[in-house]
Every structure is written in structure tokens, then in C-alpha cells.
Amino acid sequence: MSGSMTRPESASQSEVPPNQRSPRSVHVALIGNPNTGKSTLFNALAGMNARVGNYPGVTVEKKVGRFRHEGHEVHLIDLPGTYSLSPRTADEMVSVRVLLGTQPQEKPIDAAICIVDATHLERNLYLFSQILDLGVPAILVLNMWDEVLKSETSIDVAALQERLGIPVITTVARKGIGVDQIKDAVVELFDESKPNTAKRPELFPENFRAAQQKLHAEVETRTGRALPHYLAERLLLDVHGETEREILQEDRSLNPLINELRSELAQANCPIPAIEPRVRYGWARQILDGVITKPAKGHLKQKKDHLDAWLTHRVTGPVIFAAIMLLMFQAIYTWAGPLMDAIESVQGLAADAVISAMAPGALRSLIVDGLIAGVGSVVVFLPQIAFLFLFIAILEDCGYMSRAAYIMDRLMTKVGLSGKSFVPLMSSYACAIPGIMATRTIEDRRDRFVTMLVAPLMSCSARLPVYLLMINAFIPNEAMLGGLLNLQGVVLFVFYLLGAVVAVPIAWILKKTWFKGEPAPFVMELPSFKFPSLRVVFYRVYDRAKAFLARAGTLIFLTTVIVWALGYFPGDHSQLDQVMTQLESPGVEEGTPEEEALEDQRRQLSASLLDQSFLGRAGHAIEPVVRPLGWDWRLGIGTLASFPAREVVIGTLGTIFSLGGDVDESDTRLIDRLRAARHENGEPLFNVPVALSVMVFFALCAQCGATLMVMRRETNSWKWPVFSFAYMTLLAYVGALLTYQIGMLFVGT
Amino acid sequence: MNCGPEVVPIEILQTGETGVIVDVSGDDKTVSRLAEMGIRCGCEFTIKRKDCPTLITVNGHDILLRCGQAAMILVSAGAASQLV
């Protein structure tokens, strides 16, 4: 790496001095405005080598990836989409720190790739001018170049590159066009034979720079800290911003000086903060003057507006939204069916293979009843999860989600929130964790907290297996509206609505009590419609499917083994093993009286062993609590075991009902086991009210340790996760109780 | 800020009307945010949908503003219409 790349301010604070780092390993940050195709470019550059994590102490998602190009190992760090690098919050400060090389646990950045929407250069250059101010070597990527070519506007790239003195590359990220040129440009930045031509514009007037210098020197004498020059600039510009907060925390006595400098500047026709947009847009206009040739004004893009007129209309907008959602759940239900059957048959074959290869005993029971019945029952739901994420990814990527936020703003203001809460809530339908993390886009603190507290009520994908299992097993598959819909799909849709409907009064109450206040300002950009990027959609589905399988392989696996052990021990299984060996011996023909007697014996032995097990004893102890919900002890214990993660219940029920031996050993489908499950008096365990009561409980309960942990981190207090857990569990119990009791009035006993 | 003739709050304009933004007022944070998104003095705009929130187009960006928000933006109506 050349010496000219080292920034004096960051070198002193970096973990690894640049000269000690391998010259072939470089760190590059990716930054840009929202909706410029940044994620698409990231995926195109890094491909499968991406990892997602979190920065400590803040809510910013950390996405890193890497690629190799001409012998160089390039580490890529994806910064959140932003309109500016003016840090107003601790979250926004992270990007600035990463670029300055002062973010703890992060290697200093060698260069920044700034991706801009080529059709909207002027505004995008605002952010870019801040990157130049930071002093980071940069590459400017003009994305959506195909749109420019299609339009009558022309951009002189060579002239732009000449004026900026840095590489300017045109790309169509979603088609992968120009991606290799970016890689070349990154590698070339570190070619020492090439002169550094970057031009650092002096944007601010002389008096501003003098004030900035003065402040910089004063901070250094008082705190002993060499503030990066960019932060000295921010300290002056961002009134009540994050830089000001941090510096004043170190030394309060700087406050009068900052205020004095600001008011001096204001008098000298350099008002803070208005000066910043003035000089940055002024610079952008100057840079673009003669570079962009626009057609004479007239009817620019009118075509897509027709679609928007329908989608955002007061009446048709919500109707279309509801229709899209209903179709989505219908599709998930219908399309995933064949795939589920395939996974189930593999599960059955695996169980058969183990049964025929091993003699009855504890190990075989662990594999068949614990692993195959437990983990297998969860993996079956992979197709649905993938389809759900597929739909959400498509809706997000094509720009529809923002339209939905617009439609929903009117409704959201009725409960005191804004349309900005809509996207976090909608993503909570996939998983509350990214949903809660997405609330950071809500600037108003009260709105953000209320959104976070109701987000876990949205029906996340982990609830889907529970709904599907119960619906498949106990809701009749009846056609409705002449075959257009079917009852099972409609019930699924209703359950998906349930959380949102319940969230309305909860949010309203929260806004009236703890989080009183005026509705927050609402400004949001509506991105233009585009064809969803297959790459982005694919990676999002792939990431989620991988995460789901990883959970099935770890958390669910572990819980299943524990539940199996608690259900298997203590107890003498020798008699049962004997019966099983007899049953499986070649002499016993199916259907003969001898076989049926043995089968009876097996059932009785299994049931009594499960009853006497640790699990059985605990279950009977809690049975009085779950009895009013229409549940027996097995459902009670399954639910209890799923408090850390709700999807665990499938595996747990799989194991419990498999150990109980209600059904044929060969029948590995959990659904058949549930249908066959009986109370001790021989009555079927399930009927429609019981199934609905289970579903309502799972719809409303906060059974997700990870969500509560994220909520603690985001709110920086245990108070809110504890509150969420308490109110949701109460809601769930009362909801399930009412469902069962009212349901039984219709069914009759 | 310097005001031209016929300066009105943006909220009184109707769908399809155009104008130029002459003043954005409010707390510093909001004004800066709006400026970063491209809503600032001297910008031409079109009201794309007069509703709550209002959808306006500024420099090719479609931006949603809640009614209360829009009141802080003063505009010179019709100034850009001759250009269209």
C-alpha cells in the first residue's frame, strides 16, 4: 500500500499499522444513498462470501464479504444506506467511524466505493462530497446506467472522472454489468506506480475553515484527543448531533465555544447548518455543469405513474395490498405442499432404515423418536419459510413495500404511529429480529419503542410451522368462492392478520400512556419501481433458509435431545424393547391377532413409560394450568419447552407423541400422530377448538429468547423485554382460553 | 429568508400544481434531513398526489410528506409551470 493512502488521523488509532498488513489484503467500504442498488452490488461483488453481524453497542447491522481479484484479497464492508454522513445518532456515527478507521474491532478502510443512482446524480453527490471530505480514497460507481442510456440525458463520464480525479465506473448492478471494472479499479487504487490524482475540494468558505481549525485545536488542548478533521467539521455543523454529544460528554466546557463559533459564522453569512447543503449542492452543480446534458423539459417518465396511481390510491391501494397478501399466503400454502411431501418421505425412509438396521433400545429411540421425529418435523417446513422470504424479498426489492408504507401511514397515524413503522412491522412477519432492528429508521424515539414492543406480535415465520401443522391436521380442506380459495388457506391468512389486529389496541394504549406525544415528522422517499434483482432475492432467501436450518441443527436439535431424554428416563424399557423385537421379527404377520395383541401391548407400555418419565411427571404437574385451554399435559409441556424458540414445539411434539407410541412406529408423520392422539379416557385429544386454541396461543405469545435479547439491546434496558414477555404471555393465555371456551360452545361436547 | 411574491405554504396547492421552494422552516434536524433528501430552497417541485401524506416530486425524487410537515415548506406557486 502506498504511503499516500494513509490518513494521518486514522493511522494513530488503527489497530494494525498499514505497513504491517499484507499488501495483498485490502479493506473497502461500500456506501450509498438508499435505493441505489447497494445490496445488489454487494452481492454481485461478494457472492456467497457474506456474513452478517452487529456492531457492539449499536443497532447497525454489520455486513461483510470478500472477493479475490488478481491476487488481492479484498474485504468488503457494507455500510447502511444513507443520505448523508452527518451523524445525528450513535447508529449513524458507526458509518463515519468505519470510514475514519476508528470503529473498534474494525480494520481501517483503505478505500470507499460510493454507489450512486446515475439518474439522480446531483443529490447523490451530496453524500459523495462528504466522503471526499473524510479523506478516504474513493471510487464513484454510477449505477442504473441502463436507465441513463434509455433516457435522453447524457453523462460525460470521462469529464466527470477528470474533474473528480478518481475512478468513475458505470454499472448495471442487477445485471452484473460493470462489476469486474469495479474490482479492477479497487486493485488499481493500490498500484503504487499510478499517481494519486484525487482532488479534495475545499468546499467551505475561509471563515468556516478558520473556525473549524480553532475548534480542532481547542478540543485537542482540552481533551488531549486529536479529533479527525471531518469530526471537527461535524462538531461545528451538527447542532445537537452525535459528535457534539460525545465531545461534550468528555468536556462540557467546550459548549460555549461551539455556540460562539456558530453564532459568529451565522453573522458572517455562513449560517449553521444551512451552509452545508448550500456548499455541497453548489459543488455538485459545479461538478456536473457541462457533464450532464438534459433534454428540454417535458414529459419525462410518465409511464410508471399510472401503476402508482392505482397502488397508492385511497381506495384501490389498500384493496390491492390485501389482495397481494392473501395471494401470498395462498401461494405459500399451495406451492410448498409437494416439496413438504418430498421431505416427509425422506424422513419416513430414514426412520425405516434405522428401525430395520438397529435392535430396539435407547440409542434407536434417540435416533428415531428424538432426532428423526424431532428435527425432521421442523425441517419439513423449510419450503414454506423459503417461499415466505421469497415473497417478502420480491416485494421489498421491487419498491412495493414503500408504497405499502404510504398507504399504511393514514392507518398508522390513527394509532399514533407513522408509515415508517410499517416496514419494520412487515419485516417482522418474516422474523421479529430484523424487524426490531429495522426500527432504527424511525427517528422518533417514542414511535420507535412502540413499534419495537408490538413487532413480536406480527406473525413471524417460526409460527408458520405451528399454524400449518394444526391447519393441515384439523381444518377441513374445503373449497370456497367456487374453488378460488380454500378454507385452510383462509384460516392461515386470518392467523397472519391476528397479530396485526391485536397490535392496534396495544400500540394505541402505549401511545396514550408511556409514549405520549405529538406524531413524529414523516418524510420518506418513494423509490421508483424496478424489476426485482434475482440476485438480491436469491441471497435473501438463501441466507434465511440457511439460518433456519442452522437453528434446526443446533437449538432445536439440542432441545429435542433434552426433551427425548426427559421423556425416556427414568423407566425400565426392557419389556417394551422385547415387545418391539417380537413385533419386528419375521414370524409376525401384519393383521394377525398375534400382531394386534403385541401392538396393543406396545402402546400401553409406551404410554405408561412416558407417563412415569420426568417429562410426564412435570407435565402432570402443570396440567391444571393448561386444562382450561383444552390442552392435555403433552401439549402443555411441548409449549413450555418452546419458550426459548417457538418452532421447537414441532420437534418437541414430534418426540413426545413418538415416545408415547399412540400410532404405528412406521407412521412418522407428526400430523397423523396428532390426529391419533387420545386423552386417557380415549377421547380424541384434538378437535377444532383445541387446534385453534393452540394456534392463538402461539400467535400471541412471546416465545422467542432471541427477540427479547435484541429488544434489550435496542432499548438498552431489561424493562421493555420483560414488559413484552409479560403482556404477550398474558394475551396468549387469555386468547387461547377464550378461543377454546367459546369454540366448545359451537362444537358441543 | 428572501421571499418572492405570492409565497404560500405547500399544503394549499393541489394535485398537478408546480412551484419552487422558497423556504423550509422547522427544527435544524428536520431542515437538514429534508435538505439531504433534496428538499431545499430553489428546488422546483410538482404535487403528485395531494393527500395525507402528500406525494411531491423534487428533482425526480418522489418524496412523501405528512400534512403537518408540509406546512413548514413555503413555496412560490406556479413559478415553474411556464417551464413545463
Side-chain angles (χ1 to χ4, degrees):
Chain A
M1 214 175 83
S2 74
S4 62
M5 296 296 174
T6 322
R7 283 146 289 128
E9 54 227 42
S10 66
S12 59
Q13 290 163 46
S14 56
E15 287 174 354
V16 185
N19 55 0
Q20 283 177 19
R21 206 193 293 152
S22 152
R24 295 195 170 273
S25 168
V26 291
H27 291 77
V28 177
L30 185 59
I31 190 160
N33 276 197
N35 309 312
T36 48
K38 196 164 61 66
S39 314
T40 318
L41 181 62
F42 179 86
N43 288 331
L45 284 170
M48 304 289 237
N49 299 317
R51 273 184 305 116
V52 179
N54 263 91
Y55 291 102
V58 287
T59 62
V60 182
E61 189 181 73
K62 174 182 164 182
K63 202 166 152 200
V64 292
R66 67 192 148 76
F67 62 88
R68 291 189 74 84
H69 192 65
E70 289 176 7
H72 287 67
E73 172 95 356
V74 181
H75 297 267
L76 202 60
I77 177 160
D78 190 23
L79 297 174
T82 177
Y83 294 107
S84 78
L85 283 168
S86 322
R88 296 190 184 88
T89 60
D91 285 354
E92 292 179 336
M93 193 53 138
V94 172
S95 297
V96 178
R97 283 226 181 86
V98 168
L99 291 168
L100 283 172
T102 59
Q103 174 65 30
Q105 285 148 38
E106 210 54 67
K107 293 250 169 65
I109 292 300
D110 300 303
I113 299 172
C114 180
I115 179 169
V116 300
D117 175 353
T119 60
H120 293 117
L121 265 185
E122 190 177 291
R123 187 184 73 187
N124 280 266
L125 285 186
Y126 186 101
L127 173 69
F128 182 70
S129 79
Q130 289 182 320
I131 294 168
L132 291 182
D133 263 11
L134 272 160
V136 195
I139 294 169
L140 184 64
V141 173
L142 308 185
N143 196 26
M144 310 189 195
W145 190 247
D146 51 343
E147 299 280 324
V148 176
L149 296 180
K150 262 188 271 170
S151 73
E152 290 164 56
T153 306
S154 69
I155 300 173
D156 186 346
V157 179
L160 185 61
Q161 181 156 320
E162 171 67 32
R163 282 185 193 182
L164 296 171
I166 61 148
V168 178
I169 294 153
T170 56
T171 60
V172 186
R174 49 189 197 91
K175 291 185 186 154
I177 299 171
V179 174
D180 282 334
Q181 281 89 317
I182 297 177
K183 291 182 178 176
D184 288 341
V186 169
V187 170
E188 250 171 58
L189 269 186
F190 303 99
D191 184 349
E192 290 178 31
S193 62
K194 291 264 172 80
N196 183 5
T197 52
K199 290 167 189 159
R200 304 258 170 264
E202 284 293 358
L203 296 174
F204 290 93
E206 189 57 44
N207 54 356
F208 181 91
R209 296 211 300 272
Q212 184 190 332
Q213 291 279 328
K214 194 172 169 189
L215 195 55
H216 186 261
E218 200 61 31
V219 170
E220 192 164 4
T221 29
R222 291 208 205 173
T223 65
R225 188 147 87 93
L227 197 64
H229 284 277
Y230 185 71
L231 288 186
E233 186 181 308
R234 297 308 342 158
L235 183 56
L236 207 49
L237 285 169
D238 298 337
V239 183
H240 304 310
E242 180 64 14
T243 326
E244 185 181 304
R245 200 189 61 79
E246 280 179 15
I247 290 292
L248 292 185
Q249 220 168 33
E250 266 180 65
D251 189 352
R252 270 231 79 82
S253 68
L254 279 162
N255 201 21
L257 175 69
I258 298 171
N259 289 335
E260 192 188 310
L261 289 172
R262 282 180 188 153
S263 60
E264 270 174 28
L265 285 172
Q267 278 160 21
N269 195 25
C270 190
I272 307 284
I275 181 76
E276 188 173 22
R278 199 199 286 171
V279 299
R280 293 202 190 281
Y281 281 119
W283 172 80
R285 206 164 303 145
Q286 199 188 318
I287 288 289
L288 296 177
D289 182 44
V291 165
I292 295 191
T293 327
K294 281 190 180 164
K297 294 220 171 186
H299 10 265
L300 294 167
K301 53 163 195 175
Q302 288 292 327
K303 218 178 81 197
K304 288 167 188 164
D305 288 4
H306 288 297
L307 187 59
D308 249 354
W310 286 99
L311 291 178
T312 59
H313 189 267
R314 204 176 252 277
V315 179
T316 54
V319 171
I320 295 172
F321 176 71
I324 290 177
M325 291 297 121
L326 184 60
L327 275 178
M328 178 169 125
F329 291 113
Q330 280 287 326
I332 288 172
Y333 202 85
T334 328
W335 296 354
L339 291 168
M340 280 178 84
D341 291 344
I343 297 176
E344 270 173 346
S345 59
V346 170
Q347 195 193 340
L349 288 175
D352 286 346
V354 174
I355 288 169
S356 60
M358 290 174 79
L363 184 62
R364 191 178 99 173
S365 174
L366 171 65
I367 296 174
V368 175
D369 302 322
L371 303 187
I372 297 176
V375 176
S377 313
V378 180
V379 173
V380 162
F381 295 99
L382 183 65
Q384 264 98 350
I385 306 276
F387 276 120
L388 178 69
F389 280 105
L390 176 73
F391 277 102
I392 290 184
I394 291 174
L395 290 179
E396 239 169 30
D397 204 55
C398 75
Y400 181 74
M401 282 299 199
S402 308
R403 267 100 191 145
Y406 170 56
I407 302 166
M408 290 299 147
D409 183 66
R410 226 170 293 142
L411 280 175
M412 300 293 241
T413 43
K414 295 218 166 79
V415 296
L417 295 174
S418 81
K420 284 213 171 164
S421 299
F422 176 77
V423 175
L425 291 179
M426 191 64 213
S427 19
S428 298
Y429 266 96
C431 174
I433 294 164
I436 287 175
M437 284 168 54
T439 60
R440 61 168 186 261
T441 56
I442 306 170
E443 283 130 65
D444 185 79
R445 190 184 153 275
R446 293 173 310 230
D447 278 13
R448 184 167 174 215
F449 272 58
V450 173
T451 310
M452 258 191 266
L453 291 174
V454 297
L457 279 173
M458 302 304 124
S459 206
C460 69
S461 56
R463 285 162 171 115
L464 187 61
V466 182
Y467 295 161
L468 290 172
L469 182 67
M470 292 294 154
I471 291 174
N472 251 324
F474 305 107
I475 305 294
N477 188 7
E478 275 169 25
M480 292 169 72
L481 295 178
L484 193 63
L485 300 173
N486 80 57
L487 185 61
Q488 293 184 328
V490 171
V491 171
L492 183 65
F493 181 64
V494 168
F495 269 88
Y496 263 83
L497 278 183
L498 181 68
V501 170
V502 172
V504 170
I506 303 278
W508 187 81
I509 291 167
L510 287 171
K511 281 295 281 193
K512 288 280 167 205
T513 52
W514 274 317
F515 301 101
K516 251 191 216 159
E518 285 296 298
F522 176 67
V523 195
M524 203 180 76
E525 188 177 356
L526 215 53
S528 52
F529 264 117
K530 64 179 180 12
F531 194 78
S533 152
L534 294 180
R535 210 186 243 117
V536 167
V537 169
F538 168 78
Y539 283 115
R540 207 158 302 164
V541 174
Y542 171 79
D543 275 353
R544 288 297 156 184
K546 207 171 71 175
F548 176 77
L549 283 181
R551 256 161 99 91
T554 52
L555 185 70
I556 296 171
F557 171 79
L558 208 68
T559 323
T560 315
V561 171
I562 293 170
V563 168
W564 170 83
L566 291 175
Y568 192 82
F569 300 108
D572 183 8
H573 288 255
S574 55
Q575 219 187 331
L576 178 65
D577 290 346
Q578 245 176 21
V579 172
M580 305 256 276
T581 317
Q582 271 180 296
L583 255 176
E584 285 158 26
S585 67
V588 183
E589 294 282 327
E590 219 173 298
T592 58
E594 189 197 359
E595 193 255 349
E596 272 170 27
L598 280 169
E599 196 53 57
D600 258 0
Q601 221 181 336
R602 184 186 68 81
R603 261 181 222 144
Q604 274 168 18
L605 280 170
S606 303
S608 79
L609 278 169
L610 183 60
D611 252 12
Q612 292 156 18
S613 69
F614 293 120
L615 200 66
R617 290 178 211 171
H620 285 297
I622 63 155
E623 193 161 19
V625 182
V626 297
R627 202 62 257 184
L629 310 181
W631 306 0
D632 77 337
W633 70 269
R634 289 172 293 187
L635 282 174
I637 208 83
T639 307
L640 200 64
S642 62
F643 266 88
R646 51 176 68 84
E647 63 268 42
V648 163
V649 74
I650 303 295
T652 317
L653 290 182
T655 300
I656 296 175
F657 284 96
S658 178
L659 280 175
D662 264 338
V663 281
D664 261 6
E665 184 84 346
S666 59
D667 214 347
T668 42
R669 278 164 38 114
L670 177 54
I671 191 170
D672 297 322
R673 290 186 174 156
L674 292 183
R675 280 183 183 143
R678 310 258 158 221
H679 280 294
E680 272 144 28
N681 59 12
E683 290 264 317
L685 172 57
F686 281 97
N687 54 18
V688 173
V690 173
L692 291 178
S693 142
V694 171
M695 286 163 74
V696 168
F697 191 92
F698 276 81
L700 301 177
C701 195
Q703 294 158 301
C704 184
T707 299
L708 297 173
M709 291 305 290
V710 167
M711 204 184 279
R712 197 216 81 88
R713 205 182 55 208
E714 302 287 300
T715 59
N716 218 1
S717 146
W718 276 111
K719 182 177 165 190
W720 299 113
V722 167
F723 168 76
S724 293
F725 180 78
Y727 96 80
M728 286 180 69
T729 307
L730 184 71
L731 264 182
Y733 189 85
V734 172
L737 182 71
L738 290 176
T739 307
Y740 175 68
Q741 298 296 345
I742 294 170
M744 286 311 278
L745 297 180
F746 289 95
V747 176
T749 33
Chain B
M1 280 253 154
N2 52 332
C3 298
E6 293 176 78
V7 171
V8 293
I10 199 170
E11 60 181 356
I12 71 162
L13 300 190
Q14 296 303 313
T15 304
E17 286 197 80
T18 59
V20 173
I21 297 170
V22 292
D23 189 24
V24 182
S25 63
D27 67 290
D28 284 342
K29 255 184 202 178
T30 313
V31 174
S32 302
R33 272 256 192 269
L34 288 172
E36 286 159 8
M37 294 179 82
I39 301 181
R40 57 186 207 284
C41 285
C43 279
E44 293 167 15
F45 67 89
T46 311
I47 307 272
K48 222 169 159 183
R49 182 185 288 272
K50 162 80 184 163
D51 204 336
C52 191
T54 296
L55 181 57
I56 67 167
T57 306
V58 181
N59 287 334
H61 301 282
D62 287 347
I63 290 168
L64 292 167
L65 298 166
R66 174 92 56 64
C67 312
Q69 202 95 49
M72 296 189 302
I73 300 172
L74 296 178
V75 300
S76 167
S81 54
Q82 298 97 320
L83 297 169
V84 177

